[in-house]
Amino acid sequence: MGARHVLIVEDERPIREMIAFGLKRAGFEVREAEDCLGARVAIADRRPDVLLVDWMLPDTSGLELTRALKRERETRDLPIIMLTARGEEHDMVLGLEVGADDYITKPFSPRELIARIKAVLRRADGAGHEELLESGGVRLDRAGHHVSIAGCGIALGPTEYRLLEFFMTHPDRVYSREQLLDRVWGGSVYVEERTIDVHIGRLRKALAGHGCDRLVQTVRGSGYRFSTRVET
Ligand code: CA
């Protein structure tokens, strides 16, 4: 694999250059953008492997940029790490809610940033390229759009299939209904949050005959999670 390519979106030049310097030294290929518009142009020109987005930007906020990219089909799997001077829990939650893959608070060391980048890259590599997903006895063949349990094919509607695929590529993490709407349905579609419960119900029912419905777990007050661990 060649050098991984990082796009830094940060308007404060000294900070941007300091980050770029550290990343280049660590062997990353680096491009820089100073606002959301510049980031859009750079991404359209060539898709980076990771995006670092500052929260406070001169045109649109980094939060809005992250939300928008995570809603678009072409960029929804692009790993995003948000950079911010704010250290408040509330902001961290907001960043993760709009789909940021990780979050780092300024000031941070280059070493810490590089560790975070490597972690999201590992997750993205695992999630993005496997043709065959297997978890808890469920087998999902992405090339053939085929789901089976213990060798028996499972009939799923297209939405249930996408839900299951999303869950299997993002295990052990809780997603709110709003997040699932963004990530599975795409933000431009109007769907009531209640509709998600219906599709979750159908997915569970399809898996239930084979005892795999327990993999799709309800997290009270938060949303849903796919996990092979026992529900607590
Ligand atoms: Ca800034």
Side-chain angles (χ1 to χ4, degrees):
M1 199 175 286
R4 306 309 293 266
H5 169 199
V6 182
L7 177 64
I8 307 168
V9 191
E10 161 69 272
D11 57 315
E12 283 159 84
R13 194 167 158 185
I15 296 178
R16 198 174 67 228
E17 288 180 346
M18 182 200 73
I19 296 173
F21 178 78
L23 293 182
K24 281 176 190 164
R25 213 168 53 165
F28 289 95
E29 192 185 326
V30 180
R31 281 192 305 165
E32 302 173 29
E34 57 187 32
D35 53 23
C36 293
L37 184 64
R40 287 291 197 166
V41 171
I43 292 166
D45 181 44
R46 187 181 152 208
R47 186 191 154 102
D49 294 310
V50 181
L51 199 60
L52 303 183
V53 180
D54 184 37
W55 187 294
M56 301 294 280
L57 292 165
D59 47 0
T60 320
S61 78
L63 191 71
E64 285 309 313
L65 176 67
T66 300
R67 190 201 306 270
L69 290 171
K70 288 294 182 182
R71 282 183 172 185
E72 289 164 26
R73 187 170 289 277
E74 301 74 32
T75 50
R76 77 167 60 140
D77 293 324
L78 176 60
I80 299 179
I81 299 175
M82 292 205 66
L83 314 175
T84 182
R86 312 175 186 202
E88 290 170 26
E89 177 88 345
H90 172 70
D91 293 327
M92 187 184 81
V93 170
L94 260 181
L96 295 176
E97 264 184 9
V98 302
D101 297 83
D102 203 356
Y103 187 96
I104 191 162
T105 305
K106 293 176 192 169
F108 47 83
S109 70
R111 210 167 131 182
E112 187 184 357
L113 179 63
I114 287 161
R116 301 287 188 101
I117 291 175
K118 287 185 172 166
V120 297
L121 279 172
R122 269 197 304 276
R123 286 210 296 270
D125 288 345
H129 305 300
E130 282 171 53
E131 290 236 313
L132 195 65
L133 304 170
E134 271 188 294
S135 187
V138 180
R139 196 178 158 100
L140 187 146
D141 172 2
R142 298 170 102 182
H145 265 241
H146 184 255
V147 178
S148 62
I149 298 172
C152 296
I154 305 295
L156 289 178
T159 304
E160 287 74 35
Y161 176 86
R162 286 208 310 277
L163 254 179
L164 182 62
E165 185 184 35
F166 177 77
F167 276 140
M168 289 181 79
T169 49
H170 301 79
D172 299 319
R173 194 170 150 178
V174 182
Y175 289 92
S176 68
R177 289 173 181 78
E178 195 188 348
Q179 285 175 306
L180 288 173
L181 269 183
D182 278 355
R183 306 289 297 271
V184 179
W185 275 259
S188 54
V189 184
Y190 182 76
V191 181
E192 273 189 67
E193 293 195 356
R194 207 159 41 92
T195 310
I196 293 171
D197 301 338
V198 173
H199 288 286
I200 291 276
R202 286 187 194 154
L203 177 58
R204 278 198 184 125
K205 203 173 164 192
L207 300 177
H210 306 266
C212 290
D213 53 316
R214 66 188 157 75
L215 297 171
V216 182
Q217 302 169 359
T218 303
V219 182
R220 212 165 287 281
S222 301
Y224 295 104
R225 167 180 60 206
F226 183 92
S227 181
T228 56
R229 295 174 204 161
V230 179
E231 210 167 336
T232 50

